[in-house]
Amino acid sequence: MAYPQPSAAGFENFHSVLSLQELIKKPMVEIPPRYVFRSDDEETLNCHSFSTIIPTFDFKLLLSKETSDLEIEKLHSICKEWGIFQLVNHGVSSIMAKLNHEIEEFYKLPLEEKMKYKIRPGEFEGYGTISRMKGTLDWGDRFYMITNPITRRKPHLFPELPSSLRDSLESYLSEMQKIAMKLLEFLAQALNIDKKEMEELFDNGMQSMRMSYYPPCPQPELVVGITPHSDATGITILSQVNEVDGFQIKKDGVWMPVSFVPYALVVNLGDILQILSNGVYQSIEHRVTVNSEKERMSIAFFCNPKFEVEIGPAPSLINSQNPPQYRRIGMEDYVKGYFSQKLNRKSYLEKMKLQHEELVLEDKLDSN
């Protein structure tokens, strides 16, 4: 199977710029214009002043035969209402602690060391800052790379990381892979999707990670760490490295700051799961804000189907009373399409929706 290789055309929004971490070392009278976030939504940077405690699940209770059914029932309800939850008692806190230290050490490296991993022309993996809506830049440095299949890893990225970071990251990714597959199994059960159907999509699928660094900003009200968006994934597992808040979700049309339980894994549903569930579950729109005093670091693990499969509403969910709401598309084309456009809310998911005329045609084909 040939994996998608981005061409320069359409990928001009992915480029390496001087590290923001280095830029702020110089006195800054005002924010450079390219970092000022502009949105048609006047209340984008406004939100509730109080933090939201998102629903929390005990992983051990989800795994226990005595409590699993009840917990999965609760999980189903939360995924429909929230699209995000925290996971505790997952058994990887010690691995997280070690990795957190290694990530902090990575961002202390001299600029010339970090720039060995910079995003190369025409590519989207590596270290750097990327252009978002209308050409603005996120207030943050990120290191993104595909980690699975292993044959898809860029030879100048993962294999060349400092050995202590590479080893810690390998252990963490292995555990995230196991947790993600168990969660997808629970979600399949909750949706009444055949377990094998979910496994065929996600087992040894495309997985990637992003380490993010958000430096303090003298005018935090003018910038965003990450533009408002939903993830184009199956599920995303997020961990705060240094326990500094800044992650926000949009629920019922209102932005809410999220307070993490220490060493919890925050799981948010992506667009692919919304498509797979035929809209039963909703991917969660989120963003990152920054503050004027403290740096923030996080690591995100992205779990996706295999490149060679086709994604769309699960066949077992589709019938005359529940027609497909989303088109079917090969995973390769889905990934290419996502990375060829700028990050903007849930715009890519909207492109996956079947229009009224297409829904009518689907009904006619099904009745023949």
Side-chain angles (χ1 to χ4, degrees), residues 133-179:
M133 287 195 312
K134 302 177 183 178
T136 59
L137 297 174
D138 289 341
W139 189 266
D141 295 331
R142 48 78 105 180
F143 191 153
Y144 173 84
M145 56 186 169
I146 293 174
T147 57
N148 198 70
I150 292 176
T151 54
R152 181 64 170 76
R153 293 179 179 179
K154 299 281 187 183
H156 68 286
L157 295 179
F158 198 102
E160 294 300 318
L161 290 174
S163 59
S164 54
L165 172 58
R166 186 178 65 243
D167 293 345
S168 294
L169 192 55
E170 194 77 86
S171 297
Y172 180 78
L173 293 172
S174 176
E175 293 302 319
M176 292 304 101
Q177 188 176 47
K178 295 173 188 174
I179 290 173

Side-chain angles (χ1 to χ4, degrees), residues 55-113:
T56 301
F57 284 90
D58 186 321
F59 196 46
K60 289 183 178 179
L61 294 181
L62 278 165
L63 293 170
S64 170
K65 291 182 179 180
E66 290 75 21
T67 53
S68 182
D69 287 345
L70 179 59
E71 291 299 305
I72 290 174
E73 189 177 319
K74 292 178 184 176
L75 181 65
H76 185 56
S77 176
I78 293 303
C79 287
K80 289 193 292 183
E81 183 182 351
W82 285 81
I84 188 170
F85 57 90
Q86 297 187 89
L87 201 63
V88 297
N89 282 335
H90 42 64
V92 296
S93 294
S94 59
I95 293 176
M96 290 170 66
K98 187 174 182 182
L99 178 61
N100 290 350
H101 171 74
E102 295 299 336
I103 292 173
E104 290 180 328
E105 290 302 303
F106 174 82
Y107 281 109
K108 291 177 183 177
L109 290 173
L111 176 62
E112 57 268 23
E113 287 295 313

Side-chain angles (χ1 to χ4, degrees), residues 132-334:
R132 298 300 195 185
M133 287 195 312
K134 302 177 183 178
T136 59
L137 297 174
D138 289 341
W139 189 266
D141 295 331
R142 48 78 105 180
F143 191 153
Y144 173 84
M145 56 186 169
I146 293 174
T147 57
N148 198 70
I150 292 176
T151 54
R152 181 64 170 76
R153 293 179 179 179
K154 299 281 187 183
H156 68 286
L157 295 179
F158 198 102
E160 294 300 318
L161 290 174
S163 59
S164 54
L165 172 58
R166 186 178 65 243
D167 293 345
S168 294
L169 192 55
E170 194 77 86
S171 297
Y172 180 78
L173 293 172
S174 176
E175 293 302 319
M176 292 304 101
Q177 188 176 47
K178 295 173 188 174
I179 290 173
M181 289 308 298
K182 287 303 297 184
L183 290 175
L184 288 166
E185 179 185 328
F186 296 145
L187 293 172
Q189 183 177 333
L191 288 164
N192 289 319
I193 296 175
D194 192 306
K195 176 184 173 182
K196 290 184 179 179
E197 192 175 338
M198 193 73 88
E199 287 178 349
E200 288 173 1
L201 286 173
F202 287 95
D203 188 37
N204 199 32
M206 175 196 169
Q207 294 160 11
S208 57
M209 69 103 230
R210 185 185 66 228
M211 299 186 299
S212 300
Y213 176 90
Y214 309 101
C217 178
Q219 295 175 287
E221 71 280 0
L222 297 181
V223 304
V224 289
I226 291 183
T227 300
H229 69 287
S230 60
D231 291 337
T233 60
I235 59 175
T236 299
I237 303 178
L238 177 68
S239 170
Q240 287 195 148
V241 170
N242 62 341
E243 302 301 328
V244 175
D245 291 336
F247 184 79
Q248 298 183 354
I249 61 172
K250 195 171 190 179
K251 188 174 187 302
D252 302 325
V254 178
W255 285 105
M256 299 179 177
V258 172
S259 182
F260 286 45
V261 173
Y263 285 100
L265 296 171
V266 172
V267 181
N268 64 276
L269 307 188
D271 295 343
I272 289 176
L273 205 59
Q274 179 168 335
I275 293 170
L276 184 67
S277 70
N278 204 35
V280 175
Y281 293 161
Q282 298 292 308
S283 59
I284 185 75
E285 191 176 338
H286 54 281
R287 67 182 184 186
V288 171
T289 60
V290 299
N291 65 73
S292 61
E293 298 176 356
K294 296 180 180 180
E295 63 187 9
R296 179 179 184 266
M297 285 175 271
S298 66
I299 180 169
F301 170 80
F302 305 104
C303 182
N304 293 285
K306 293 188 276 279
F307 277 117
E308 58 265 32
V309 303
E310 188 178 64
I311 60 173
S316 54
L317 296 181
I318 302 305
N319 53 50
S320 57
Q321 284 74 44
N322 186 32
Q325 301 298 314
Y326 301 91
R327 65 183 81 252
R328 301 194 69 80
I329 183 173
M331 185 61 188
E332 281 197 29
D333 290 335
Y334 179 85

